[in-house]
Amino acid sequence: MAAGVKRLLLGAAFCGLLLGVTDATFAQGEIYNTVLPVPQALKEAVYPFTMPFTNLVKMTRWNWDTCEPDCLDCQRACCPCGPDGNFWARADYLLWTTAGARVPALVSSGATSDPVPNTITLFGDGRYTDDIRHQYRFRLGHWFGDCRRWAIQADWLDLGQNSSEYSASSTGDPILARPFYDVLREMDAVQLIAYPGEAEGSVDARVSNRFYAVGAGLRRNLLCRASCCGDCDTDGARLDLIGGYRHYHLRDSVGVTENITLTAGSGGHPAGTVFDVRDSFESRNEFHGGEIGLVLQRFRGRWSFEAMAKLAMGGCRQTVTINGQTIITEPNVASVTHTGGLLALEDTNIGTYRRDGFAVIPQFGFEVGYQLTDHSRVYAGYDFLLWTGVKRAGDHIDTNVNTSYMPPATSPGGAAVPAFAWQNADFWAQGLNFGYEIRF
């Protein structure tokens, strides 16, 4: 934690250096457009050595020799690269995918001749919620002044809630079961939901997650190159520093609900007894921190290109909640509710677990745009985001079960399993975006 805080403070100091200095563009315009207060004599001494870096010199050096006299004051004052308009609003249509949620086998089936009918996995034992999402992103910004050196901006990205569901019912054929490993007998076992001559019932399983992000901050022009006045909006390039606040939110959940009716007496319960069993696993990852990055833009006639790289650093609160419940209703007897299901049991893993940590989340992207009118533009691009060390609900499901803890647990003993243990995973989100921008 101490090392992470030091890195965060160092980054903040660097931002302050770039954002806090006075604007020396006018005084230093003869050679560079820069926010750093470099003495003129030093720049003149260094300039010859920058000649091999042709592209950098073209980006950072003011080219006044080709400007008309009427344009000289315009170029000295500022570099208004890009389309006209100080306020911009952008709406993106997203085709993104995310890292799938890993889930163990939750529902199974098999043949009646099998002693343990779990030869076929009906749901689980794989990754879910990794299909393409059709969602949206909005971005707003405002430049202060016609020179477009400082701006304030905000964005909202929402990938929505994505889910995978499974539902089945049976009177005994086909077989429905919940697989687990019985630690007392040291063998694979199942909880029967529907089996010929013993039980009939139904099962519903669901895996879902939601991801969204919101941010707000400042934007500062660092480097700029533009043609003379009249063409500033159609031919030029700029490099901007962005910094501010960032919030990411990732929520996962896995739930299984069973309804079992005994067709024959079993375990001390008469025929007709109904069991309603529920297991619930949920995880939340909430990031709050600072973000710093660079945005490079190139304008050529009606075409434009933009590349972005940014890094968010800050605190992350992680929460895992495990719940379970069993309601037993015998014929002509009032229902009795017990804490615990099958993979979520009392005195083993049921509870709410929290942990705070430090996270670093990079994001990269690029886009190509085309100017439709003086105030509107369309574009298409790609983005990639990586969040390591997150907690996913499915990773915290333990399929090892001590059956003495299953409700109604009268005298549990032995290993308290299923057990809870923190598990890390990597979450990424990536995809294509198609957008429309207006400026005025």
Side-chain angles (χ1 to χ4, degrees):
M1 173 65 76
V5 173
K6 291 180 181 178
R7 289 195 295 269
L8 181 60
L9 294 177
L10 182 61
F14 177 70
C15 293
L17 176 63
L18 291 177
L19 298 177
V21 297
T22 58
D23 183 8
T25 303
F26 180 83
Q28 302 170 12
E30 288 81 358
I31 295 180
Y32 296 99
N33 173 26
T34 175
V35 297
L36 297 177
V38 181
Q40 181 70 17
L42 178 59
K43 292 196 300 181
E44 292 176 349
V46 172
Y47 175 66
F49 298 98
T50 67
M51 290 300 292
F53 304 99
T54 307
N55 293 335
L56 178 62
V57 173
K58 288 182 178 179
M59 170 76 76
T60 61
R61 190 184 182 196
W62 286 105
N63 184 7
W64 290 353
D65 296 336
T66 60
C67 287
E68 298 292 334
D70 294 341
C71 295
L72 191 58
D73 292 337
C74 167
Q75 289 290 70
R76 287 180 183 273
C78 59
C79 180
C81 294
D84 291 335
N86 285 5
F87 176 83
W88 72 90
R90 307 176 62 172
D92 293 4
Y93 169 67
L94 306 179
L95 291 174
W96 281 32
T97 60
T98 63
R102 188 175 62 86
V103 177
L106 297 177
V107 184
S108 64
S109 185
T112 56
S113 58
D114 295 338
V116 179
N118 63 342
T119 57
I120 303 173
T121 298
L122 301 178
F123 186 79
D125 194 23
R127 290 186 177 273
Y128 295 84
T129 67
D130 56 356
D131 51 325
I132 294 179
R133 307 189 186 194
H134 303 261
Q135 293 298 330
Y136 60 87
R137 174 173 58 189
F138 297 111
R139 289 173 282 186
L140 301 172
H142 177 71
W143 289 107
F144 298 106
D146 294 335
C147 293
R148 303 174 196 163
R149 293 196 185 100
W150 286 93
I152 186 171
Q153 61 183 19
D155 64 86
W156 166 267
L157 179 149
D158 194 340
L159 294 186
Q161 181 168 292
N162 196 2
S163 61
S164 297
E165 300 180 359
Y166 176 82
S167 180
S169 61
S170 173
T171 58
D173 186 16
I175 294 171
L176 295 177
R178 295 280 310 282
F180 64 94
Y181 182 79
D182 189 335
V183 299
L184 294 183
R185 295 186 294 168
E186 297 183 348
M187 62 179 293
D188 291 328
V190 296
Q191 180 185 71
L192 293 176
I193 301 171
Y195 192 85
E198 293 190 21
E200 60 183 27
S202 62
V203 59
D204 295 283
R206 188 172 188 266
V207 179
S208 68
N209 65 37
R210 186 188 180 193
F211 175 77
Y212 65 84
V214 61
L218 296 176
R219 184 166 178 166
R220 171 57 160 142
N221 176 235
L222 296 180
L223 305 173
C224 186
R225 176 181 181 270
S227 302
C228 286
C229 299
D231 296 327
C232 282
D233 60 341
T234 60
D235 190 3
R238 62 184 298 134
L239 179 67
D240 297 336
L241 174 72
I242 56 176
Y245 164 78
R246 174 61 58 186
H247 170 61
Y248 290 111
H249 184 100
L250 172 64
R251 177 179 177 180
D252 268 354
S253 66
V254 179
V256 183
T257 302
E258 310 167 50
N259 182 273
I260 307 167
T261 301
L262 298 182
T263 55
S266 176
H269 299 286
T273 300
V274 177
F275 295 82
D276 289 302
V277 183
R278 180 177 62 88
D279 288 331
S280 173
F281 300 83
E282 182 180 297
S283 66
R284 290 173 180 258
N285 298 267
E286 299 174 285
F287 172 88
H288 297 272
E291 184 174 65
I292 187 170
L294 295 171
V295 178
L296 173 66
Q297 292 178 310
R298 178 72 170 96
F299 303 95
R300 185 77 173 179
R302 288 183 175 272
W303 291 97
S304 62
F305 173 81
E306 178 177 308
M308 171 273 297
K310 55 186 180 180
L311 192 69
M313 299 175 289
C316 181
R317 164 152 289 194
Q318 299 170 323
T319 306
V320 176
T321 302
I322 302 175
N323 282 314
Q325 178 180 274
T326 299
I327 302 175
I328 302 176
T329 306
E330 295 185 352
N332 303 317
V333 178
S335 299
V336 180
T337 300
H338 302 272
T339 301
L342 172 63
L343 301 179
L345 298 178
E346 188 175 21
D347 298 326
T348 64
N349 62 340
I350 283 181
T352 298
Y353 308 87
R354 293 186 177 90
R355 188 163 75 169
D356 294 327
F358 183 81
V360 177
I361 306 174
Q363 183 177 355
F364 309 93
F366 66 87
E367 67 182 38
V368 177
Y370 184 79
Q371 198 75 23
L372 297 176
T373 69
D374 291 342
H375 301 284
S376 64
R377 184 172 70 99
V378 293
Y379 55 87
Y382 168 83
D383 283 88
F384 176 82
L385 177 150
L386 177 64
W387 189 354
T388 61
V390 300
K391 305 300 180 282
R392 309 297 299 267
D395 293 329
H396 294 86
I397 300 177
D398 184 5
T399 57
N400 298 303
V401 177
N402 182 335
T403 54
S404 68
Y405 284 87
M406 293 176 62
T410 56
S411 56
V417 291
F420 174 82
W422 289 106
Q423 303 291 335
N424 290 330
D426 293 338
F427 175 82
W428 51 260
Q430 65 171 339
L432 301 176
N433 56 281
F434 304 90
Y436 179 77
E437 176 187 80
I438 58 172
R439 284 178 175 263
F440 52 88

